[in-house]
Amino acid sequence: MSTRVSIEDVTRIYNQGKPNEVRPVDRVSVRIGGPGEGASDGGDGQTGKDVGEIAVLKGPSGSGKTTLLALIGCMIRPTSGRILVNGRDVAKLPERFLTEVRRDTFGFVFQQLHLISGLSVLENVMLPLYPLEIGFREGRERALGLIEQLGLTHRRRFRVEALSGGERQRVAIARALINRPGAILADEPTAHLDAGLSCELMGILGELRGQGKSIVIATHDPLVYDSPMIDRVFTMRDGRIMDDDR
Ligand SMILES: Nc1ncnc2c1ncn2[C@@H]1O[C@H](COP(=O)(O)OP(=O)(O)OP(=O)(O)O)[C@@H](O)[C@H]1O
Ligand SMILES: [Mg+2]
């Protein structure tokens, strides 16, 4: 199910009141996925329509892309402002509930992929399932399905350190999908890929959009933000969103 996130006048401050105070995100309002708050969806976040979207956060190094992505994904809390995930205000949710929202709503693909060496492809993809709320067998089937979808079936028993860069990237995507999130958040996903693999990655993300996922990519790679797959581009500078190009 497609996910929508509304960031409303959100600021994140580090070292508040000190000489080294920074505001990597400064009074940002942005909506990701779905038709927004005006839609009558009964307040449960289910819009009925499964239309995915790919949005890009671009901008120079230090402009706040990773911080905004972390705010969208409920990995950090705003200093001020509201964050609505499928209509629910999460900014002040207790940590336990925030963890639940994060796990059930978002799949993350980090720049450093954070795959666990020594574990196989299958084991890495299954990791976010723990602690297991579904049976092991069901989890394994689900993981194998994703591994197949991403063309890695022949590599499923390989340790991740034995894979190529592109294969590792696909393992990271499969792992991000294992909890069936409505949104995928990817930070510089093409940083370690050549042009061919970057295009392949965009193809995969395009397919996920077709399945109704909301995708947000932080990047300064033109191969990503100029891709025809992209629905919207937000340009960040000094913690602010400059414009909504598309
Ligand atoms: N935990 C933190 N403590 C202090 N400052 C931080 C913290 N996280 C981020 N910043 C600062 O906020 C600013 C924005 O950082 P952020 O990582 O969001 O930028 P970015 O646009 O993702 O940059 P890049 O393209 O280099 O990845 C930077 O100046 C950074 O040093
Ligand atoms: Mg960054």
Side-chain angles (χ1 to χ4, degrees):
M1 188 60 70
S2 168
T3 289
R4 58 199 164 82
V5 181
S6 292
I7 299 287
E8 297 183 356
D9 202 17
V10 162
T11 297
R12 172 73 202 206
I13 306 177
Y14 289 108
N15 309 315
Q16 192 163 14
K18 299 183 184 154
N20 57 346
E21 176 176 305
V22 281
R23 291 172 185 245
V25 170
D26 191 8
R27 305 206 61 179
V28 164
S29 296
V30 64
R31 279 184 181 162
I32 304 297
E37 296 311 302
S40 61
D41 60 11
D44 63 1
Q46 311 295 314
T47 59
K49 274 192 300 178
D50 240 359
V51 182
E53 176 191 88
I54 306 184
V56 159
L57 308 174
K58 71 167 180 164
S61 182
S63 57
K65 304 181 296 294
T66 293
T67 308
L68 181 55
L69 204 65
L71 285 161
I72 292 169
C74 304
M75 299 183 84
I76 57 171
R77 291 171 189 272
T79 307
S80 63
R82 292 209 311 165
I83 297 180
L84 305 180
V85 176
N86 292 329
R88 184 180 186 197
D89 188 353
V90 297
K92 295 193 181 76
L93 268 190
E95 191 55 39
R96 187 161 58 94
F97 296 109
L98 197 64
T99 304
E100 256 178 48
V101 170
R102 190 160 55 221
R103 190 196 55 195
D104 296 343
T105 315
F106 301 102
F108 298 93
V109 180
F110 301 97
Q111 178 171 356
Q112 309 299 335
L113 300 175
H114 297 309
L115 300 178
I116 311 293
S117 299
L119 296 186
S120 70
V121 167
L122 179 60
E123 287 163 337
N124 267 279
V125 172
M126 287 184 71
L127 266 185
L129 286 173
Y130 293 90
L132 279 177
E133 285 180 3
I134 58 173
F136 177 83
R137 199 181 280 254
E138 188 187 340
R140 190 171 181 278
E141 289 305 311
R142 198 191 281 185
L144 287 171
L146 289 169
I147 285 168
E148 187 183 357
Q149 193 184 333
L150 288 157
L152 290 167
T153 299
H154 60 306
R155 295 280 183 261
R156 66 190 182 282
R157 293 199 188 86
F158 280 47
R159 292 181 176 196
V160 286
E161 60 269 34
L163 303 181
S164 73
E167 288 169 339
R168 284 183 208 191
Q169 183 66 256
R170 281 182 279 152
V171 175
I173 294 170
R175 186 187 52 187
L177 291 168
I178 192 77
N179 279 320
R180 299 186 169 156
I184 306 287
L185 308 181
D187 199 359
E188 306 287 356
T190 59
H192 303 295
L193 304 183
D194 63 24
L197 286 173
S198 297
C199 290
E200 185 186 304
L201 174 79
M202 292 313 297
I204 292 169
L205 294 178
E207 274 175 37
L208 293 171
R209 177 183 62 172
Q211 293 165 19
K213 308 279 186 205
S214 305
I215 298 164
V216 187
I217 310 171
T219 188
H220 42 234
D221 182 354
L223 261 176
V224 176
Y225 60 73
D226 286 340
S227 160
M229 302 286 178
I230 305 300
D231 299 296
R232 293 196 295 162
V233 177
F234 299 102
T235 305
M236 292 195 75
R237 194 143 297 144
D238 296 333
R240 291 181 172 255
I241 293 206
M242 303 305 289
D243 47 20
D244 184 350
D245 300 334
R246 278 187 268 177

